[in-house]
Amino acid sequence: MDFELDEELVMVRDMARDFAEKELVPRATKHDRQEKIDPEVFGMLSELGLWGLTVPEEYGGAGMSNLALAVVLEELNRGCASTGVTVSVHNSLLGAPIKRFGNDEQKQRFLPELATGETIGAYCLTEAGAGSDAAALRTSAEDKGDHFLVNGEKLFVTNADFAGLFLVYVRTGKPEDKDKGISALLIPGDAEGLKVATKEKKCGIRGSATSSVELTNVVVPKENLLSGLNQGFKVAMDTLDGGRIGIAAQAVGIGRACLEASVKYSNEREQFGRAIGRFQAIQWKLADMSTRLDASRMLVHRAAWTRDRGEVCTPEAAKAKLMASITSNFCADECMQIHGGAGYTDDFHVERLFRDARITEIYEGATDIQRLIIARDLLA
Ligand code: CAA
């Protein structure tokens, strides 16, 4: 057993760490306030090859592992969680399912432009009546011979505002078929009838774009069906196994930013004649934050490693996300407490970290859904 990252992983981690420190940390508050990521950051991510990190080399990607993606996402999210989730969704929720379920023609057509970042991807599962109960989705896809006619509305779609390709889950069977009547369609952003509608005003990760997507009589050729007819729910769930590892890595990254801010402040801030880091009450907080973050990171790496071995990683991904997201919020809360009144103002970036951490317990399957998945695996 080896806890060291290999040479290639250390190299990619250091590259992402350096980029995050130089380009994301100075922009993170700005991204939050302006509610969008600076356009030049998209180009920088292209230059570093981070849009196509796990896309195979034959399609123009870096052909790296899920573990590499997790390592990179921790670093990006430590710098800016809005940028981190944008990259995570693109890689895990769009590039990955095309790689895993696409036919040769679909891979040739879509992966090269996703790998360079020329096209950004979005994943459309959630609807007003289908959140945690994803199999209740109702967006319809009527079979018209050589194409489907798609109608419905998707909510909370990350990257929707600038996405050039949407992976949309639709009902091709009856509502009572639940998960057995769902298909996955690849729909280009410029398809007639696809409209990016309401942009959400969010508590945190405000720099990322989250919008609803309306689909009105959208014509989708049959060749854009990803995997088989009525096989879409398995695509959605398998994809979320990978996505949840990404969000767990995000949670560790945000938590680490909280720990680093707390250590710095504990050494600088003096009360009762000494640095507050000399008080045991503060030391215990720092020790717990660091320990829980290390444990979370190990779960993230184990889940990614399991997926890289081609094994089912559903419970491993759920455990990583459960532990890391709770830890992230724990760290954000302790960080706020250590900073006191100063942390509660927007003079420090601590209140942003506090807001950013919160979503990790909600999206890509809420904390209680992760518990449900883990318990079902135990009881099966
Ligand atoms: N991989 C492959 N197949 C899977 C699977 C997985 N991880 N999980 C389940 N399946 C299969 C099952 O084997 C089953 O197939 P069979 O009947 O052939 O065996 C089928 O799918 C149905 O599975 P379940 O009975 O477990 O389905 P369920 O209706 O009880 O739902 C659930 C399970 C885990 C609760 C699921 O609905 C779920 O994950 N809900 C949360 C949804 C979610 O995470 N949404 C996030 C949206 S994305 C987002 O957040 C926005 C963003 O852009 C960041």
Side-chain angles (χ1 to χ4, degrees):
M1 190 160 193
D2 190 353
F3 288 98
E4 293 275 322
L5 298 181
D6 68 23
E7 215 177 299
E8 189 184 47
L9 285 172
V10 168
M11 214 172 70
V12 77
R13 181 201 62 194
D14 290 350
M15 178 265 283
R17 184 174 287 178
D18 188 51
F19 166 70
E21 188 59 36
K22 283 202 188 103
E23 306 292 351
L24 298 184
V25 170
R27 285 183 171 87
T29 297
K30 183 173 170 234
H31 287 171
D32 181 66
R33 290 187 184 157
Q34 72 191 12
E35 299 191 11
K36 73 179 186 82
I37 297 165
D38 280 345
E40 64 267 26
V41 170
F42 286 76
M44 294 174 194
L45 290 163
S46 290
E47 273 166 37
L48 295 174
L50 296 181
W51 295 116
L53 200 69
T54 56
V55 171
E57 283 172 291
E58 59 182 304
Y59 300 109
M64 295 192 83
S65 61
N66 290 294
L67 180 56
L69 181 60
V71 166
V72 164
L73 287 174
E74 178 183 331
E75 297 303 328
L76 299 186
N77 282 289
R78 181 207 148 253
C80 171
S82 292
T83 306
V85 70
T86 305
V87 175
S88 182
V89 165
H90 174 86
N91 271 282
S92 319
L93 299 191
L94 209 76
I98 296 176
K99 181 174 90 172
R100 289 167 78 84
F101 295 98
N103 57 35
D104 286 348
E105 191 270 330
Q106 289 168 337
K107 289 183 198 169
Q108 293 283 2
R109 207 166 125 211
F110 297 116
L111 286 179
E113 61 192 51
L114 290 171
T116 57
E118 185 189 333
T119 295
I120 302 294
Y123 178 91
C124 305
L125 180 66
T126 305
E127 298 177 5
S132 289
D133 184 7
L137 69 87
R138 300 187 75 93
T139 292
S140 65
E142 224 183 307
D143 192 331
K144 294 286 188 185
D146 64 345
H147 67 271
F148 295 103
L149 196 64
V150 178
N151 282 284
E153 188 182 13
K154 295 291 180 178
L155 298 185
F156 304 136
V157 180
T158 305
N159 296 350
D161 300 52
F162 39 76
L165 189 62
F166 294 76
L167 178 52
V168 183
Y169 295 92
V170 293
R171 185 150 295 286
T172 37
K174 298 188 203 76
E176 56 271 29
D177 296 341
K178 295 253 3 199
D179 61 280
K180 305 291 182 283
I182 292 171
S183 298
L185 297 178
L186 289 160
I187 308 186
D190 60 2
E192 203 174 322
L194 184 153
K195 184 180 159 205
V196 177
T198 319
K199 184 167 180 183
E200 303 297 343
K201 303 286 280 179
K202 304 193 294 288
C203 163
I205 53 160
R206 289 183 179 164
S208 69
T210 313
S211 297
S212 62
V213 174
E214 292 169 5
L215 300 135
T216 314
N217 293 327
V218 181
V219 172
V220 184
K222 286 256 171 94
E223 60 258 30
N224 286 21
L225 177 69
L226 187 67
S227 186
L229 188 70
N230 296 326
Q231 296 299 310
F233 194 72
K234 285 187 195 221
V235 176
M237 293 298 113
D238 176 87
T239 300
L240 283 170
D241 285 345
R244 286 166 185 160
I245 300 172
I247 299 305
Q250 171 179 58
V252 175
I254 299 169
R256 208 176 100 212
C258 293
L259 175 62
E260 288 171 11
S262 300
V263 168
K264 184 166 182 287
Y265 194 71
S266 300
N267 277 324
E268 288 169 5
R269 170 79 173 153
E270 292 192 1
Q271 286 291 275
F272 304 101
R274 50 186 161 155
I276 59 171
R278 304 221 8 232
F279 292 105
Q280 196 178 49
I282 301 291
Q283 290 168 0
W284 285 23
K285 288 186 193 301
L286 299 177
D288 285 351
M289 289 160 83
S290 177
T291 305
R292 293 185 200 192
L293 279 170
D294 279 3
S296 299
R297 183 180 300 105
M298 283 184 197
L299 286 176
V300 173
H301 288 192
R302 181 186 66 162
W305 172 84
T306 305
R307 196 161 168 85
D308 284 330
R309 285 161 61 94
E311 292 168 16
V312 172
C313 69
T314 308
E316 286 83 1
K319 285 175 189 174
K321 185 173 184 290
L322 176 66
M323 175 77 176
S325 59
I326 291 174
T327 295
S328 196
N329 281 281
F330 169 79
C331 290
D333 194 51
E334 293 293 43
C335 179
M336 175 77 81
Q337 198 64 24
I338 288 169
H339 283 77
Y344 199 66
T345 70
D346 67 3
D347 294 343
F348 279 75
H349 64 306
V350 168
E351 62 85 34
R352 174 176 54 76
L353 294 172
F354 187 82
R355 289 185 284 106
D356 286 350
R358 194 64 187 84
I359 190 63
T360 64
E361 280 202 60
I362 298 170
Y363 61 13
E364 297 203 28
T367 302
D368 298 311
I369 292 298
Q370 307 312 322
R371 291 195 172 102
L372 175 150
I373 292 168
I374 296 162
R376 278 186 183 177
D377 178 64
L378 292 171
L379 296 166

